[in-house]
């Protein structure tokens, strides 16, 4: 396409490039360059499955144009931790049974990370509000809330040197 | 407890060391890191992108369909219309595994002349990029001439109603006639009659329809797709005109199913385009495509007439059920059969008439959804129980206690379930767990409700269901399970692994489970009907037991005891009463390998096979067995705004035997979400068959703000027909939730809303009508 532009993205601490037109969303651009860990659920900002951290803030990548992410730090769920080194949030979700079909999970884990970055000791309400943009059809959220609390406790413990 | 706990396993030395524990599921690490590839995550070189052109009227004649401009757009590889597919239809019936006779339920793959529902597919476009495919859809010129349609199943039954297809709008009809209903009503002190309405529901799985199809070097059409049913390779092959062995379905972990990926979705489209172009093709389904592209839950209109004595004994029940089948048959005949069987609920009703019909309309076609008709019946019978209790002035729990079916008693069809019936135990536990009532304040009224249920697990027994699994031990002591079963998010695959390691005495991290591929995994049947654990769990257990028996026999010689004295656990093999006499599992496996002792087994598990129910009386066996339980809730209702909030949500189910308690709780808690949305907020609004709520901002399912913490009370009768006495929890988890909420709302405001979802508008209107009536 005539208005394609090559943009420099920094994804999970690595420099990457994507050649995309102006209307391409960050979700599409990330998936095009291989970040299949970012999931597409509605492409309208209704479900939160595509959430990533953009300079530390959780955003729906389907509502973010790829060009506007240039020069910013993008973190996907895989940027938090990988199979051999799970992030405490990922570990809490995995061990607590908070992922069922798992399709909403990358977005929910990103949103959970954003909650805990903002407030290491969130209340039940803080967690609910922080996850209100992420739909899940499998878990009924109960185990998701438990996993976030569990991760919060682990992270606080790590911080205080326990 | 009124039922005996049965033998938990056929092997005397299996003491359930791993089954029944909340082990981390084998699929969990991949999912929390995003490493797990879903069907939409696969790409291939030279791949095309598919879009579907859809009708924007629900009932119309196709006057003109001009795709010439789309075809000539640069980058468009292929455009298909109904004219390109002469006489091809896709079966909408249950994928038969044993060549069952099918209903005449073909659906046109692409519209030829007549559009019967909003969104029916007119043309398929495959292009080099998604942008080009999008652009090409806009170049397709469509002229539709409206034809009078019918959008309400009750209207569709009237003599002058437009006929959707064929000669009648009644697409299926079934009856139960049991005992003497007239005599039963004559004995009644009171007769209570009510009509209940339940709505369409969208599955709303987060992963839309995704996949990738290509034709390989053997002329086999490969389809990587998000599906609950890999056995669809047969109807796909029939639909595209190739032999059955030239279609291979490679499933992936499914991003939610709930019945919405039980029918064919995009498979036939992809296969046709891959064959025509010789190139890989992937679908580009938007959320809106998903909303209009797969069947919905059947709306039901159910009239219950209950005869009851003053002391609360049900003497007769007459039930009339009408289900909206939408424009094509799909699984409607089976959905109303489930509703028919479930009609009286978990109660003893000796004098019973049930008449259930599925009726065609020009609405979206309806098909499988978690609960499958039995759930709609529960929504009616449990609200009716509360209304009966209110009418005769008896406590709701007491009325239920006086009528509960007990273990060993026959259900509606005269069949005696082989397992325990612990409805009462579950109901008492759930009701008690509600604890102290939340105090009412300001405009908030507090109400409580309970609902009990009966839900089958396992498919209809006249379908002669089977499931295969293969279990083998590698030379290094690791275990492989191979089974075609699809994993739709409940941990189906991981549960199979947990069963295998229990029997073989190894640990879950030593197992790999290969599943969901028609070419390399033995066919296990569908992940539907709460059957995966029951059927495939039994197959895996039996296969693992066969392997264990051979290994134990060899170990017995090595350790100088009888085979029956050998036990295996946590990668060690030992003499049961003398665990110090042991050898590592891996050493035993090496010996067996060196001596040519067979270390694998393929097993086919067969469900009970029966005839159809008697067509006149509906008597006979319909399912292998049934699950029972209850759900209790407390709600607040704002009498000014009509808003309902669920404050407490407590589920109590007899699951027979947990394989993985965390997974069981996950099913229960997810079912609570599905049921709460169904009861209160999820509404598919149609105007003349046109869906006007095709997004998650219009179709409102409960969010993290709406869901209470769901408390799970899990009872284990160990009496089920599944592995180790397991029953099933997939569908049961959801079935009683909505009527429990409806009963709580009625309890709070003193008036019932007879139609779900119980939206604020309906609450306010019901209270106004009640006030006006004085």
């Amino acid at each position: 396409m005539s208005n394609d532009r090559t943009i420099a993205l920094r994804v999970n601490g690595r420099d990457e490039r994507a050649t995309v037109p102006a209307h391409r969303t960050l979700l599409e651009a990330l998936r095009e360059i291989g970040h299949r860990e970012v999931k597409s659920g509605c492409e309208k900002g209704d479900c939160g499955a595509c959430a990533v951290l953009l300079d530390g803030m959780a955003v729906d990548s389907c509502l973010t144009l790829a060009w506007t992410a240039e020069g910013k730090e993008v973190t996907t769920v895989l940027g938090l931790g990988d199979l051999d080194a799970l992030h405490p949030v990922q570990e809490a979700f995995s061990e607590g049974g908070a992922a069922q079909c798992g399709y909403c999970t990358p977005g929910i884990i990103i949103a959970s990370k954003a909650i805990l970055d903002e407030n290491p000791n969130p209340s039940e309400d803080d967690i609910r509000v922080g996850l209100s943009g992420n739909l899940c059809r499998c878990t009924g959220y109960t185990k998701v809330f438990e996993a976030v609390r569990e991760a919060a406790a682990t992270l606080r413990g790590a911080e205080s040197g326990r | 407890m009124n039922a005996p706990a049965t033998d938990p396993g056929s092997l005397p030395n299996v003491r359930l060391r791993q089954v029944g524990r909340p082990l981390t599921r084998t699929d969990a690490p991949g999912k929390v890191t995003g490493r797990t590839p879903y069907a939409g995550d696969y790409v291939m070189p030279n791949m095309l992108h598919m879009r579907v052109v859809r009708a924007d009227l629900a009932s119309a004649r196709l006057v003109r369909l001009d795709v010439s401009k789309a075809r000539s757009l640069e980058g468009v590889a292929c455009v298909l219309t109904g004219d390109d597919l002469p006489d091809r239809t896709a079966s909408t019936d249950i994928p038969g595994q044993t060549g069952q006779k099918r209903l005449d339920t073909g659906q046109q793959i692409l519209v030829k002349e007549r559009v019967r529902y909003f969104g029916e597919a007119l043309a398929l476009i495959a292009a080099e990029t998604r942008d080009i495919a999008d652009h090409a859809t806009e170049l397709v010129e469509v002229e539709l001439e409206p034809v009078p349609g019918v959008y309400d199943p009750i209207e569709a039954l009237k003599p002058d109603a437009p006929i959707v297809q064929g000669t009648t709008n009644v697409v299926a009809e079934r009856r139960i006639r049991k005992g003497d209903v007239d005599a039963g009503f004559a004995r009644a002190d009171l007769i209570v009659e009510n009509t209940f309405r339940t709505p369409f529901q969208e599955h709303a799985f987060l992963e839309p329809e995704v996949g990738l199809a290509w034709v390989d070097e053997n002329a086999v059409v490969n389809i990587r797709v998000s599906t609950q049913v890999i056995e669809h390779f047969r109807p796909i092959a029939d639909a595209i005109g190739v032999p059955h062995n030239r279609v291979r379905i490679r499933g992936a972990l499914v991003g939610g199913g709930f019945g919405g990926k039980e029918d064919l979705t995009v498979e036939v489209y992809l296969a046709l385009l891959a064959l025509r172009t010789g190139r890989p093709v992937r679908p580009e389904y938007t959320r809106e495509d998903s909303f209009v592209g797969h069947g919905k839950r059947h709306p039901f209109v159910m009239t219950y007439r209950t005869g009851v004595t003053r002391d609360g004994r049900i003497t007769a029940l007459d039930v009339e059920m009408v289900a909206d089948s939408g424009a094509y048959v799909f699984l409607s005949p089976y959905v109303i059969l489930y509703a028919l069987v479930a009609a009286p609920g978990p109660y003893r009703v000796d004098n019973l008439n049930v008449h259930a019909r599925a009726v065609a309309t020009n609405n979206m076609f309806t098909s499988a959804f978690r609960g499958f008709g039995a759930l709609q019946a529960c929504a009616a019978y449990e609200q009716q129980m509360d209304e009966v209790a209110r009418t005769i002035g008896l406590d709701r729990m007491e009325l239920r206690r006086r009528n509960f079916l007990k273990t060993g008693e026959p259900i509606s069809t005269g069949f005696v379930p082989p397992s325990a019936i612990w409805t009462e135990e579950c109901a008492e536990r759930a009701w008690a767990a509600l604890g102290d009532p939340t105090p009412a304040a300001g405009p908030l009224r507090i109400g409580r409700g309970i609902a009990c249920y009966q839900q089958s697990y396992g498919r209809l027994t006249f379908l002669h269901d089977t499931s295969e699994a293969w279990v083998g031990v590698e030379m290094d002591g690791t275990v492989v399970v191979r089974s075609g079963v699809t994993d739709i998010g409940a941990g189906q695959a991981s549960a199979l692994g947990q069963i295998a390691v229990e029997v073989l005495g190894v640990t879950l991290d030593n197992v790999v489970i290969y599943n969901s591929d028609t070419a390399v995994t033995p066919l296990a049947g569908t992940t539907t009907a709460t059957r995966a654990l029951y059927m495939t769990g039994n197959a895996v257990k039996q296969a693992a037991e066969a392997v264990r028996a051979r290994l134990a026999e060899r170990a017995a010689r090595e350790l100088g005891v009888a085979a029956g004295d050998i036990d295996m656990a946590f990668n060690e093999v030992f003499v049961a009463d003398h665990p110090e006499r042991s050898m590592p599992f891996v050493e035993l496996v090496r010996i067996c390998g060196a001596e040519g002792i067979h270390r694998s087994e393929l097993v086919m598990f067969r469900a009970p096979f029966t005839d159809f129910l008697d067509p006149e009386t509906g008597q006979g066996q319909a399912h292998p067995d049934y699950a029972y339980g209850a759900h209790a809730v407390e709600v607040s209702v704002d009498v000014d705004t009509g808003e309902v909030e669920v404050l407490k949500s407590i589920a109590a189910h007899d699951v027979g035997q947990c394989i993985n308690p965390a997974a069981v709780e996950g099913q229960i808690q997810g079912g609570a979400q599905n049921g709460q949305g169904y009861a209160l907020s999820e509404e598919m609004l149609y105007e003349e068959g046109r869906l006007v709520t095709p997004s998650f901002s219009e179709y409102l399912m409960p969010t993290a703000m709406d869901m209470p913490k769901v408390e799970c009370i899990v009872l284990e009768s160990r009496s089920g027909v599944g592995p180790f006495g397991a029953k099933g929890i997939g569908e049961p988890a959801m079935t009683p939730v909505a009527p429990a909420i409806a009963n709580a709302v009625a309890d709070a405001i003193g008036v019932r809303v007879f139609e779900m979802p119980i939206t604020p508008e309906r609450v306010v209107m019901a209270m106004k009508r009640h006030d006006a009536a004085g």
Side-chain angles (χ1 to χ4, degrees), chain B residues 390-519:
Chain B
R390 188 179 59 78
T391 308
I392 63 173
L394 189 65
D395 175 77
R396 311 177 259 182
M397 283 292 285
E398 189 51 35
L399 175 69
R400 287 177 169 85
R401 281 182 204 114
R402 290 182 188 177
N403 292 281
F404 277 133
L405 270 182
K406 299 285 201 284
T407 303
E409 292 183 343
I411 66 161
S412 60
T413 65
F415 170 70
V416 178
S419 71
I421 299 179
W422 279 10
T423 325
E424 185 163 357
E425 287 80 351
C426 293
E428 302 286 2
R429 293 279 297 271
W431 195 240
L434 284 174
D436 293 331
T438 305
L444 297 183
R445 301 283 181 275
I446 304 297
R448 291 177 162 200
I450 191 161
C452 306
Y453 71 89
Q454 166 186 294
Q455 177 87 46
S456 58
Y457 62 99
R459 291 173 95 191
L460 292 159
T461 41
F462 65 74
L463 291 171
H464 294 193
D465 197 12
T466 60
S467 184
E468 288 186 61
W470 182 98
V471 174
V473 182
E474 268 307 322
M475 289 290 197
D476 62 353
T478 59
V479 171
V480 175
V481 176
R482 294 160 67 227
S483 169
V485 72
T486 55
D487 189 323
I488 64 173
Q492 280 89 359
S494 186
L496 298 181
Q498 213 164 331
I499 290 166
V501 303
E502 176 70 59
V503 174
L504 291 170
V506 297
T507 46
L508 196 55
D509 54 354
N510 278 323
V511 178
V512 169
I513 304 132
Y514 294 100
N515 69 313
S516 200
D517 185 327
T518 58

Side-chain angles (χ1 to χ4, degrees), chain A residues 1 4 21 23-24 27-28 31-32 35-49 76-87 89-106 109 124-146 149, chain B residues 22-25 27-38 40-42 129-132 201-208 210 253-256 258 282 285-288 369-370 487-491 661-663 665-667 669-671 673-674 677 682 694-699 701-711:
Chain A
M1 286 230 168
D4 276 5
H23 66 272
R24 192 69 81 234
L27 165 63
E28 293 168 309
R31 287 185 60 86
E32 271 176 31
H35 289 283
R36 66 182 186 184
E37 73 273 18
V38 185
K39 301 301 177 199
S40 173
C42 71
E43 299 180 286
K44 286 181 168 185
D46 293 335
C47 78
T76 73
V77 70
L78 199 46
L80 299 186
D82 204 342
L83 292 172
D84 55 356
L86 297 184
H87 184 273
V89 176
Q90 294 170 318
E91 191 153 14
F93 272 70
S94 176
E95 291 183 3
Q100 286 193 31
C101 89
Y103 199 79
C104 71
T105 304
I109 286 177
E124 172 97 18
D125 272 357
D126 294 335
I127 296 172
R128 286 174 182 274
V129 171
L131 295 177
S132 61
N134 294 80
L135 293 175
C136 172
R137 193 55 154 172
C138 298
T139 65
Y141 308 102
T142 298
K143 290 198 188 306
V144 171
F145 299 152
E146 287 166 3
R149 277 195 296 273
Chain B
L23 305 182
T24 299
R25 276 165 46 174
D27 55 321
K31 285 174 172 176
V32 301
T33 52
R35 282 288 185 194
T36 296
Y38 293 79
D41 293 331
Y42 291 86
T129 68
R130 181 176 165 172
D131 284 342
I132 297 171
Q201 190 178 22
E202 156 63 26
H203 307 80
F205 31 70
L206 267 288
E207 175 206 48
V210 289
L253 287 175
V254 175
F258 313 105
R282 59 171 279 145
Y285 253 39
T286 62
R287 181 51 64 177
E288 192 166 338
F369 197 136
R370 195 177 198 175
D487 189 323
I488 64 173
E665 289 177 5
Q667 284 292 289
Q669 291 160 344
Q673 191 264 13
N674 295 182
E682 296 182 23
S695 77
F696 289 147
S697 57
E698 294 149 307
Y699 181 82
M701 58 172 154
T703 69
M705 302 293 284
D706 305 312
M707 282 305 295
K709 176 182 179 298
V710 179
E711 188 180 327

Side-chain angles (χ1 to χ4, degrees), chain B residues 229-252:
Chain B
V229 180
I230 62 172
E231 286 77 6
H232 278 315
F233 74 90
R234 296 181 183 125
I236 295 165
D238 291 341
I240 65 176
V242 304
H244 286 190
N245 64 1
R246 300 275 175 192
V247 175
R248 173 180 181 182
I249 304 291
R250 303 166 181 242

